[in-house]
Amino acid sequence: MESLESRADALMDDLRADLERLAAIPSIAFPGYDPEPVEEAHDLIASLLREAGVPTIERIDLPDTAPVVYGEIPPPEPGAPTVLLYAHYDVQPPGAPTLWLSPPFEPTPVPGGLRARGIADDKSNVIALLGMLRLYGGRPPVGIKLVIEGQEEYGGAFDDYPPSDPGRFACDAMVIADLGNLRPGTPTLTTGLRGACEVTVEVRTLAEPRHSGEFGGAAPDALLVLLRALATLHDANGDVAVPVLRRDTWDGTTFTDEEFRELAAVLDDVPLIGTGSLGERLWSGPAITVIGLDAPSVEHAASAVVPYARAKLNLRFHPHQDPIEARAALVAHLRAQRPFGVTLKVTPGDTGPGFEARTGGPAYRAALTALKEAWGTEASYVATGGSIPLVNGLANAAPGAEVLLFGAQDSMCNLHAPNERVLLSELRNTVVAMAAFVREYAADHRAAGGAR
């Protein structure tokens, strides 16, 4: 039989053309944006899947949420396993057009790939799933359930929907195709996602501003109070100093310092913060970031004692830590602070759990074999500090299913940033990996007598 690699190569011209069509649609599902492109992207994907041989295509509509493309291919034989495949077709807003080297919704060739908003995150993975289906002529060796979401980037009611309809999402394994490789050419399974929460801290010390010359030195400056409180969140090395927040060692693959500095755009004369491996700092330990600050601007500053200041904090925490516990630890730490004797107002915000995938099962073993076949080298495993809220919903709907996270993106693709790009080699290899995975998983299932 013709190899998976040669069959994937024969598909690439058409897959590239379909990726360009899809990436040209500004499917931004954020408030204030035209919903028509979101509908257009939904309809295009439904049409492509139907043409690829998916016999059942449905549309899931939930309140205030972009439509979800749902598809099913029945198992080819009794007892064959079912694999759920997830991706999303909505994209982040492009940001300032002046930061792009080409219009964000005009797919443009770059060395080895294409540039456009959303072309990596996550339209490349939509096309990779389509490529796997085409490679098998719409008849893969496993049953398939397709979930192509339309509002992942902003969030919506679908995050919590799967457990309310478990029969629809029942499966033996699922592939969450909203991630990719640590670096191009390095096949990677993501096994953990950090949890996240937000907390707001406010300080009010005066009824209104007062002249800094006449009152400064005794009148409490709200901004100084806030800054002193925020400084307690980290120790002198930059490690998080909040008790209870979990940090474990990391024994998987991680970035080199040089790779990370380039990815994070760290200036040449600025050191990285924190101690321990980058894996601990980024994935298996906590991170606290000040993501917003309300205070007088330098440009409009007056010679006055500041009466009010506010900050918004983002906490990322260990995949196994309870989200309520993590948020409570940060809130308790801040409420215990009394900078210059002043009490802080601390308001907890939204929180969401992390996720850690089980490893060592038949789907995990099949994925390791498939990734090696596609890239020609052993797969590594990493975690990510980002969140995919739907993962927990899908896992709760199918609690016995193994969850695998891999795809066509790579850490250097500029997702959520200007000049996002995808490499066609990564897309091609992901098609091969998806095809090899379902082949290996089906074979293992048959060898085990179809029972799990």
Side-chain angles (χ1 to χ4, degrees):
M1 290 180 62
E2 191 178 9
S3 70
L4 293 183
E5 290 87 348
S6 60
R7 288 151 70 188
D9 289 339
L11 295 171
M12 281 304 297
D13 286 347
D14 286 343
L15 291 177
R16 173 177 177 159
D18 290 330
L19 178 58
E20 291 181 357
R21 288 173 65 195
L22 187 58
I25 302 172
S27 49
I28 305 168
F30 281 61
Y33 286 87
D34 184 357
E36 284 304 313
V38 175
E39 293 282 344
E40 182 183 357
H42 168 279
D43 293 348
L44 174 58
I45 292 166
S47 175
L48 290 171
L49 293 175
R50 194 172 288 110
E51 291 169 4
V54 180
T56 301
I57 301 287
E58 298 177 10
R59 171 181 170 130
I60 300 176
D61 284 299
L62 298 174
D64 302 316
T65 302
V68 177
V69 182
Y70 177 82
E72 282 190 16
I73 301 175
E77 58 189 20
T82 294
V83 176
L84 185 149
L85 304 173
Y86 168 86
H88 67 88
Y89 65 85
D90 63 305
V91 303
Q92 283 279 328
T98 55
L99 298 177
W100 285 78
L101 299 175
S102 56
F105 293 105
E106 292 182 13
T108 301
V110 298
L114 295 165
R115 177 173 58 232
R117 167 54 85 230
I119 202 159
D121 181 21
D122 190 39
K123 291 177 178 179
S124 63
N125 284 317
V126 174
I127 297 301
L129 301 182
L130 178 69
M132 183 274 287
L133 297 175
R134 286 179 178 170
L135 190 149
Y136 283 111
R139 294 177 177 82
V142 298
I144 292 290
K145 293 186 177 182
L146 290 153
V147 179
I148 314 294
E149 187 183 3
Q151 199 167 302
E152 190 273 343
E153 299 291 5
Y154 183 74
F158 191 61
D159 290 346
D160 301 317
Y161 175 74
S164 71
D165 192 5
R168 182 188 290 273
F169 302 100
C171 59
D172 298 287
M174 60 183 76
V175 177
I176 308 298
D178 190 14
L179 291 159
N181 292 336
L182 182 71
R183 57 183 69 88
T186 301
T188 307
L189 276 172
T190 299
T191 59
L193 306 170
R194 280 198 296 197
C197 76
E198 293 184 347
V199 171
T200 301
V201 191
E202 297 178 74
V203 180
R204 185 173 292 281
T205 55
L206 309 173
E208 58 188 19
R210 282 291 183 263
H211 192 291
S212 59
E214 295 186 26
F215 298 96
D221 183 321
L223 184 53
L224 284 178
V225 171
L226 179 61
L227 294 176
R228 195 172 182 93
L230 296 179
T232 69
L233 298 174
H234 297 82
D235 64 19
N237 295 315
D239 292 317
V240 170
V242 176
V244 182
L245 294 178
R246 178 173 173 176
R247 175 169 169 166
D248 291 346
T249 57
W250 176 257
D251 57 4
T253 305
T254 188
F255 300 109
T256 65
D257 281 8
E258 291 73 21
E259 285 175 328
F260 182 78
R261 293 182 68 89
E262 181 178 355
L263 288 170
V266 179
L267 300 178
D268 290 342
D269 57 347
V270 177
L272 302 183
I273 67 170
T275 60
S277 74
L278 280 172
E280 287 181 41
R281 284 178 272 174
L282 299 173
W283 302 326
S284 63
I288 300 174
T289 305
V290 180
I291 59 173
L293 185 66
D294 290 338
S297 69
V298 171
E299 185 177 355
H300 299 103
S303 296
V305 180
V306 175
Y308 175 78
R310 179 174 66 161
K312 190 170 189 177
L313 310 179
N314 178 264
L315 166 65
R316 303 286 172 150
F317 50 87
H318 191 284
H320 279 174
Q321 185 151 33
D322 179 80
I324 303 302
E325 177 188 60
R327 183 179 64 184
L330 177 56
V331 169
H333 175 89
L334 289 167
R335 287 177 176 167
Q337 306 305 311
R338 295 289 187 277
F340 310 118
V342 176
T343 300
L344 308 174
K345 180 181 178 182
V346 184
T347 305
D350 292 339
T351 187
F355 179 80
E356 188 161 65
R358 299 192 307 271
T359 59
Y364 183 80
R365 294 194 301 269
L368 291 178
T369 300
L371 291 167
K372 182 178 181 180
E373 181 173 336
W375 273 272
T377 187
E378 297 287 347
S380 302
Y381 73 92
V382 300
T384 179
S387 301
I388 308 176
L390 185 66
V391 170
N392 285 284
L394 288 171
N396 290 333
E402 291 183 73
V403 180
L404 305 165
L405 298 99
F406 66 92
Q409 303 169 23
D410 65 82
S411 295
M412 302 171 186
C413 69
N414 274 12
L415 76 166
H416 293 209
N419 302 306
E420 180 179 351
R421 64 100 182 103
V422 70
L423 297 177
L424 295 173
S425 59
E426 297 295 284
L427 173 60
R428 177 264 191 195
N429 288 348
T430 302
V431 173
V432 174
M434 293 284 181
F437 166 69
V438 296
R439 181 200 66 206
E440 291 294 314
Y441 188 50
D444 182 273
H445 206 80
R446 284 194 300 271
R452 292 290 175 211

